[in-house]
């Protein structure tokens, strides 16, 4: 269990300043440094089906094809430019490098509360946030000598975003995150909250382990970071956002993000404060919803800050599954998994992590108010389910 799950509690404040600062850095959010200037990216083009490495796995005309998986979209394999070279991006997004992915199916939207409920009802699964924090597990991911908290502080709970009453420095994440006993996927903001009326919102307060368990039950898996980013770009290359370079083309909101002074008040100019129902904003070029904003999405890869540096040393990375282990010098004791897409908390004055190249790492046992997931079917399983002309069918 990771220390960041316990952020904001009194026992945290009694620990050393160094430990507290490390925990703050470990928290998943949009980042500390704002990205205010527009990224200087190259002109984007639609991926060409005749380009080198495009559609390497497209079935032949004579191949027998089965029914498309419900609610999933086929992404033809191709080679694309992953990451970014602009210096105004975060260092972990650089450099850009060529990656080839095979074709795969991906959920057209994030897994919803209603869908996750069916999984829990069918299996009796209990999520990470519903378990008591185990100190013997937690201390392995903390600096040596970190004192054990009171047992009452180890009760089941989760991290909940809480707006502040006024402007605050943006280098202390504990100011707007609280550890709330009883918060979990059924009660995202705490015991008094409910998902009633939010059945079609993305499920949140789920750890990486919870997402993997759901995916296995559904006969799917979590996307690799490369699959996720390729799908998010929607056929565009080197564009700032998944829909192009203009954040609000024609004044239209394209994603669920934060408007107003962060973290004081989200004005809801885009129509929502907090999460929004899946499919509330336009789909990208591949027909996928919420590949920017709303909630962060788990990927299968271990997180390393230098992943792209290693990948760029190769001419073309083919179906990368991520590094063998996690590495984050800002939080060296806790292994992390990749999350992508940004969330409803992202704002240009604080971050722009709703960009497709943006990436973060968070401990796999940590859920929060703004983290969910979607699934893929890739490899041989993707090949046999390919349906020519299959259309997505979003249920609202």
């Amino acid at each position: 269990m990771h220390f960041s799950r316990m952020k904001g509690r009194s026992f945290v404040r009694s620990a050393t300043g160094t430990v507290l600062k490390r925990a703050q850095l470990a928290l998943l959010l949009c980042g500390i440094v704002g990205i205010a200037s527009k990224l200087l990216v190259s002109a984007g083009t639609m991926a060409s089906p005749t380009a080198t490495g495009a559609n390497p796995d497209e079935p032949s005309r004579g191949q027998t094809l089965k029914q498309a998986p419900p609610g999933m979209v086929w992404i033809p394999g191709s080679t694309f430019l992953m990451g970014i070279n602009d210096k105004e991006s975060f260092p972990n997004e650089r450099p850009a490098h060529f990656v080839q992915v095979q074709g795969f199916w991906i959920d057209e939207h994030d897994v919803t509360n209603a869908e996750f409920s069916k999984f829990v009802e069918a299996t009796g699964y209990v999520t990470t946030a519903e378990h008591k924090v185990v100190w013997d597990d937690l201390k392995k991911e903390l600096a040596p000598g970190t004192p054990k908290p009171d047992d009452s502080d180890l009760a089941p709970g989760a991290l909940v975003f809480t707006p502040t009453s006024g402007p605050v420095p943006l280098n202390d994440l504990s100011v707007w995150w609280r550890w709330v006993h009883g918060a979990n996927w059924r009660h995202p903001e705490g015991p008094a909250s409910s998902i009633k009326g939010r059945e079609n919102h993305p499920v949140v307060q789920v750890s990486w382990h919870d997402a993997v368990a759901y995916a296995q039950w559904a006969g799917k898996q979590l996307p690799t970071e490369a699959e996720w980013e390729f799908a998010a770009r929607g056929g565009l290359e080197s564009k700032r956002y998944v829909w192009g370079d203009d954040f609000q083309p024609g004044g239209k909101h394209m994603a669920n993000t934060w408007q107003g002074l962060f973290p004081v008040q989200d004005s809801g100019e885009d129509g929502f404060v907090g999460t929004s129902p899946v499919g509330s904003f336009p789909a990208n070029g591949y027909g996928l919803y919420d590949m920017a904003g709303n909630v962060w999405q788990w990927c299968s890869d271990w997180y390393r800050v230098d992943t792209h540096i290693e990948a760029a040393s190769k001419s073309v990375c083919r179906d990368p599954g991520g590094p063998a282990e996690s590495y984050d010098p800002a939080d060296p004791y806790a292994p992390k998994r990749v999350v992508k897409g940004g969330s409803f908390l992202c704002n240009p004055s604080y971050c722009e992590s709703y960009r497709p190249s943006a990436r973060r790492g968070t401990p796999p046992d940590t859920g929060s108010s703004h983290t969910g997931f979607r699934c893929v079917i890739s490899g041989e399983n993707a090949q046999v389910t390919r349906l020519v002309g299959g259309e997505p069918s979003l249920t609202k």
Side-chain angles (χ1 to χ4, degrees):
M1 203 64 59
H2 190 262
F3 187 56
S4 65
R5 289 188 60 205
M6 310 301 294
K7 277 283 282 95
R9 298 296 299 160
S10 59
F11 82 85
V12 171
R13 300 187 182 279
S14 69
T16 66
T18 299
V19 170
L20 177 55
K21 185 173 182 180
R22 180 177 295 115
Q24 293 164 351
L25 290 171
L27 266 172
L28 168 63
L29 193 62
C30 299
I32 292 178
V33 181
I35 302 179
S37 59
K38 184 174 181 180
L39 301 180
L40 303 176
V41 296
S42 60
T45 56
M46 294 298 293
S48 169
T50 60
T52 301
N55 303 334
D57 58 338
E58 195 69 23
S60 64
R61 291 180 179 272
Q63 183 174 348
T64 300
L65 303 173
K66 297 184 180 181
Q67 180 66 32
M72 302 191 81
V73 175
W74 174 251
I75 308 298
S78 188
T79 297
F80 78 108
L81 195 61
M82 184 174 181
I84 197 169
N85 287 324
D86 192 272
K87 293 182 179 180
E88 295 302 325
S89 62
F90 290 108
N92 67 352
E93 302 173 42
R94 306 190 297 263
H97 55 285
F98 285 104
V99 171
Q100 184 184 81
V101 294
Q102 302 296 310
F104 58 96
W105 293 97
I106 186 168
D107 290 341
E108 61 184 346
H109 59 72
D110 299 318
V111 172
T112 65
N113 285 314
E115 291 168 333
F116 198 80
S117 294
K118 292 179 180 179
F119 158 62
V120 172
E121 291 169 2
T123 64
Y125 183 81
V126 178
T127 63
T128 302
E130 296 171 281
H131 286 284
K132 181 179 179 180
V133 180
V134 179
W135 171 242
D136 286 342
D137 293 336
L138 173 62
K139 68 181 180 181
K140 296 175 184 177
E141 302 178 7
L142 304 177
T146 301
K148 181 181 180 299
D150 186 85
D151 284 344
S152 63
D153 289 317
L154 299 175
L159 288 166
V160 175
F161 171 74
T162 306
T164 60
S165 59
V168 295
L170 299 181
N171 61 352
D172 183 0
L173 310 182
S174 68
V175 174
W176 56 85
W177 283 103
R178 291 187 302 127
W179 173 258
V180 177
H181 291 312
N184 54 56
W185 73 275
R186 289 187 179 92
H187 308 286
E189 294 80 46
S193 65
S194 169
I195 58 173
K196 184 176 182 180
R198 290 189 277 181
E199 290 81 3
N200 210 31
H201 286 231
V203 64
V204 295
Q205 299 294 12
V206 285
S207 69
W208 183 87
H209 301 295
D210 300 332
V212 168
Y214 175 94
Q216 292 176 341
W217 171 77
K220 305 177 183 180
Q221 63 254 40
L222 294 183
T224 64
E225 182 178 3
E227 288 174 333
W228 192 98
E229 185 168 330
F230 179 58
R233 292 185 178 277
L236 299 175
E237 190 161 296
S238 299
K239 289 295 187 180
R240 188 179 187 184
Y241 308 112
V242 304
W243 54 83
D245 286 327
D246 186 356
F247 181 60
Q248 287 184 242
K252 183 177 182 179
H253 289 282
M254 302 296 288
N256 181 1
T257 61
W258 183 283
Q259 299 90 53
L261 180 62
F262 182 86
V264 181
Q265 183 178 17
D266 182 351
S267 65
E269 291 176 13
D270 60 9
F272 301 96
V273 175
T275 60
S276 55
V278 297
S280 296
F281 295 86
N284 72 357
Y286 286 148
L288 304 176
Y289 297 89
D290 295 327
M291 296 302 279
N294 210 3
V295 297
W296 286 93
Q297 299 168 42
W298 288 109
C299 294
S300 62
D301 305 40
W302 285 112
Y303 172 78
R304 289 183 65 96
V305 296
D306 59 356
T307 294
H308 287 0
I309 296 175
E310 170 64 22
S313 67
K314 305 175 183 178
S315 58
V316 177
C317 295
R318 290 177 170 80
D319 289 311
E325 59 185 1
S326 177
Y327 169 68
D328 183 356
D331 186 25
Y333 297 100
K336 297 180 175 69
R337 296 284 182 171
V338 172
V339 291
K340 299 277 284 183
S343 79
F344 65 88
L345 296 179
C346 289
N347 175 291
S349 67
Y350 180 69
C351 78
E352 284 185 325
S353 289
Y354 36 72
R355 297 171 294 107
S357 61
R359 55 197 302 269
R360 294 287 179 267
T362 199
D365 56 5
T366 300
S368 62
S369 302
H370 66 344
T371 304
F373 68 100
R374 73 178 69 209
C375 302
V376 300
I377 299 176
S378 56
E380 292 182 0
N381 289 335
Q383 186 72 287
V384 298
T385 55
R386 172 77 172 100
L387 174 66
V388 174
E391 296 292 336
S393 54
L394 177 64
T395 300
K396 296 186 177 181

